Amino acid sequence: MSGARDETPLWLFADQLGPAVYGGEHAHREVLLVEATSALSKRRYHRQKLHLVLSALRHAEQDLGERATLLKADTYTDALRRFKRPVLVHEPTSHAAEKFVHRLRKDGLVADVLPTPTFALPRKDFQEWAGERTRFRMEDFYRGQRRRFDVLMNGADPVGNRWNYDEDNREPPPKKQSTLELPAPYRPREDDIDEQVRRDLDRMKLDTVGVDGPRLFAVTPTEATRALTRFIEQRLPSFGLYEDAIMSDDWAMSHSLLSVPLNLGVLHPLDAVEAAEKAYRDGNAPLAAVEGFIRQILGWREYMWHLYWHFGPDYTKKNELAARTRLPDWWADLDADAVTAQCLHHAMAGVRDRGWTHHIQRLMVLGSHALQRGYRPDELTEWFATTFVDGFRWVMPTNVVGMSQHADGGLLATKPYTSGGAYINKMSDHCKDCAFDPKKRLGDDACPFTAGYWAFTHRHREMLAKNNRTRRTVSSMERLNDLDAVLEQESARDRF
């Protein structure tokens, strides 16, 4: 580096607010932070999502002290022109933002664009791994990550001589309990900054969804460290067993609630991974729980990040299942009270009240419902990205288009992920209090997931019959003696 470049200020986006970005070799630099009103109003975001972003930016200004300048402007470009000096910036986390940053560089407002430091694996290294592949398996990537970063390894072999303990982590919720009866997750204390954010958002009168509520997630490096410590010490040992279960009265269960600080950049993924591995090595958490947690972060999360870039900006246009149904108003408006099915009601209420549900509610309740009803994958991706507090632009395309909606034709996932009510009945405590019967596919109390499963199977029977993993489902459907009645019922269903 030249001496002149060494003094160039560093501009941080709102998801680049941790020491991995502004520390180390950049610890001497002045830091620019920008609140752009146009970015807040560009889409219909969850109210709590906007609160988290503004709180994170303003806490970063406070924590960085004299190093930081926070500018409030209509647009990022306006702020950079007011700042009057070229800035360094790390690669942003979306295609649109990357294109924008390179345009700013041509205009002289950005001096240079540096590699992203908030993930474990550099983008260029993933490109080498991907090579000419046309089909992707997360397990292959995950094992490579374990080897590269020497995580849960004994030399060349995985600890326990197994790479994956997923089969040990599929327990249904414990019977005769309404919660897992664990210590509560870390919850930050709101301060004067949060109160000012709330007043400012009220004044802006933005078109938002969801309800305002207490800040539930860490937005600073200090808070993130506390949240990680609480999870590792008090909740990780129970995480594995019940990570796929759903409980009506326990929204957090044993989940880490670290996706927000990870996606804000205030917690580095390798710090979370190393803390979990240490808990296992010290005898404080079972291997299955630790491996499951590490697979989520070092495996799945990194995989989704890299495939977002690898598949390119047109990936969200994929719609191989020809899903054309627009999102209904009750879905778009988070009107959980309009929903009868308990599993869907609780999932939608979680989004409304917190901007968050855990991964099984996302995939096997919200995603499965959308897949069965043929909601447009582009609209669904946008909905997840704007209503979930951890739904930054890179997060949702591969999770929704690829994993949840199978809209990429199997590029990412080997089969569509959907099920009838039997799965939800097994893995949750919702069905016992539901007006719908998970065992019924026909009648006023027919479960919309059970009946919807067969309607979906019929609609895509040719594709499913060609897939070894779903061929038997088509054979089962063809033996139903009431299939025509089920199809007619579901084509007219307007009550969920």
Side-chain angles (χ1 to χ4, degrees):
M1 283 190 179
S2 67
R5 179 177 164 181
D6 280 349
E7 300 307 315
T8 306
L10 183 64
W11 173 30
L12 307 182
F13 279 101
D15 55 357
Q16 300 176 332
L17 300 178
V21 186
Y22 59 69
E25 64 180 300
H26 302 297
H28 66 287
R29 294 187 192 279
E30 184 180 347
V31 168
L32 173 65
L33 304 162
V34 178
E35 283 186 22
T37 306
S38 60
L40 303 179
S41 59
K42 189 175 184 180
R43 296 178 173 87
R44 196 181 183 210
Y45 289 107
H46 198 291
R47 164 68 185 239
Q48 292 181 49
K49 184 188 185 81
L50 295 180
H51 185 126
L52 285 166
V53 169
L54 291 183
S55 181
L57 280 167
R58 296 180 187 184
H59 277 97
E61 179 197 23
Q62 181 184 70
D63 291 348
L64 289 167
E66 293 183 355
R67 284 182 66 189
T69 299
L70 175 63
L71 294 181
K72 300 178 182 181
D74 181 44
T75 68
Y76 292 117
T77 305
D78 291 343
L80 290 168
R81 285 179 176 148
R82 276 171 47 196
F83 193 60
K84 296 182 178 179
R85 281 182 289 161
V87 294
L88 287 177
V89 66
H90 289 87
E91 291 168 329
T93 58
S94 74
H95 296 292
E98 185 177 58
K99 188 176 180 180
F100 171 60
V101 160
H102 285 290
R103 190 164 69 246
L104 293 173
R105 188 178 183 186
K106 287 183 179 179
D107 293 342
L109 296 173
V110 166
D112 201 0
V113 183
L114 308 173
T116 309
T118 52
F119 291 82
L121 186 70
R123 281 171 56 181
K124 63 179 178 58
D125 292 356
F126 181 84
Q127 291 167 4
E128 293 175 7
W129 177 86
E132 300 300 318
R133 295 172 194 250
T134 57
R135 287 290 184 270
F136 295 85
R137 289 184 71 247
M138 200 281 284
E139 187 68 20
D140 295 338
F141 172 78
Y142 170 57
R143 293 183 185 189
Q145 290 278 86
R146 290 265 298 274
R147 292 187 184 101
R148 172 186 285 262
F149 295 103
D150 193 27
V151 173
L152 289 181
M153 299 294 293
N154 282 333
D157 300 317
V159 170
N161 294 315
R162 282 171 60 188
W163 290 100
N164 187 313
Y165 288 79
D166 196 35
E167 291 182 2
D168 299 344
N169 292 345
R170 296 174 180 167
E171 287 295 307
K175 298 187 185 305
K176 300 180 181 178
Q177 287 180 217
S178 60
T179 73
L180 289 183
E181 300 175 358
L182 294 174
Y186 170 80
R187 179 167 160 181
R189 292 182 180 178
E190 289 199 5
D191 56 17
D192 293 344
I193 290 176
D194 289 296
E195 288 305 310
Q196 187 59 53
V197 166
R198 190 165 280 112
R199 287 194 293 269
D200 289 346
L201 287 172
D202 288 341
R203 177 180 50 79
M204 291 180 196
K205 293 183 167 41
L206 300 168
D207 181 20
T208 60
V209 294
V211 300
D212 186 19
R215 180 162 67 84
L216 299 173
F217 302 94
V219 298
T220 72
T222 299
E223 289 181 346
T225 298
R226 291 172 181 161
L228 174 62
T229 301
R230 175 78 64 89
F231 169 69
I232 295 294
E233 292 181 353
Q234 300 185 9
R235 302 165 64 77
L236 175 60
S238 303
F239 169 73
L241 276 180
Y242 302 115
E243 68 173 299
D244 285 1
I246 307 171
M247 302 185 80
S248 302
D249 295 330
D250 195 346
W251 68 271
M253 298 184 65
S254 54
H255 294 278
S256 70
L257 308 189
L258 296 174
S259 57
V260 168
L262 281 165
N263 292 354
L264 288 171
V266 298
L267 175 64
H268 197 277
L270 289 178
D271 290 338
V273 166
E274 288 166 7
E277 180 174 17
K278 186 175 187 302
Y280 165 71
R281 300 280 188 187
D282 291 347
N284 295 325
L287 180 56
V290 170
E291 188 278 320
F293 175 68
I294 287 173
R295 181 159 21 96
Q296 282 193 349
I297 294 179
L298 195 62
W300 189 256
R301 182 176 181 272
E302 293 265 322
Y303 192 54
M304 293 296 97
W305 159 255
H306 287 294
L307 286 182
Y308 170 81
W309 294 104
H310 185 77
F311 289 156
D314 292 335
Y315 184 74
T316 53
K317 298 177 183 177
K318 289 186 176 295
N319 192 0
E320 294 296 318
L321 299 187
R324 308 293 184 205
T325 304
R326 307 300 298 261
L327 292 187
D329 288 344
W330 60 266
W331 182 288
D333 296 338
L334 307 183
D335 187 2
D337 294 334
V339 184
T340 301
Q342 285 296 294
C343 58
L344 194 53
H345 166 80
H346 278 275
M348 194 61 70
V351 184
R352 177 195 66 197
D353 297 343
R354 292 176 289 274
W356 189 92
T357 62
H358 66 69
H359 66 282
I360 292 299
Q361 289 173 298
R362 300 187 198 204
L363 179 65
M364 299 306 297
V365 179
L366 296 168
S368 179
H369 169 82
L371 181 63
Q372 291 180 0
R373 302 299 154 181
Y375 294 168
R376 283 178 47 168
D378 57 345
E379 289 191 358
L380 193 66
T381 301
E382 180 72 9
W383 181 83
F384 271 101
T386 53
T387 61
F388 275 74
V389 292
D390 55 7
F392 291 83
R393 307 309 299 180
W394 67 269
V395 175
M396 293 306 176
T398 44
N399 273 296
V400 177
V401 174
M403 183 66 178
S404 172
Q405 301 304 294
H406 206 67
D408 65 1
L411 191 61
L412 189 149
T414 55
K415 68 168 186 132
Y417 280 84
T418 188
S419 73
Y423 174 85
I424 296 172
N425 190 30
K426 175 187 176 185
M427 296 305 296
S428 81
D429 58 6
H430 290 314
C431 297
K432 60 182 171 47
D433 297 321
C434 188
F436 297 118
D437 186 339
K439 297 179 181 178
K440 290 189 176 182
R441 59 179 175 264
L442 198 61
D444 290 342
D445 60 347
C447 173
F449 282 89
T450 301
Y453 178 74
W454 296 118
F456 170 81
T457 301
H458 182 267
R459 189 161 68 249
H460 300 292
R461 57 194 179 278
E462 291 184 12
M463 179 268 292
L464 297 171
K466 296 176 183 176
N467 187 326
N468 289 334
R469 297 190 68 191
T470 55
R471 186 177 297 159
R472 291 178 61 184
T473 301
V474 177
S475 299
S476 298
M477 177 202 69
E478 291 172 344
R479 292 195 294 270
L480 298 180
N481 57 16
D482 55 3
L483 179 60
D484 289 343
V486 171
L487 297 176
E488 182 179 358
Q489 167 188 277
E490 293 311 295
S491 68
R493 184 187 284 272
D494 59 3
R495 173 172 168 259
F496 299 101

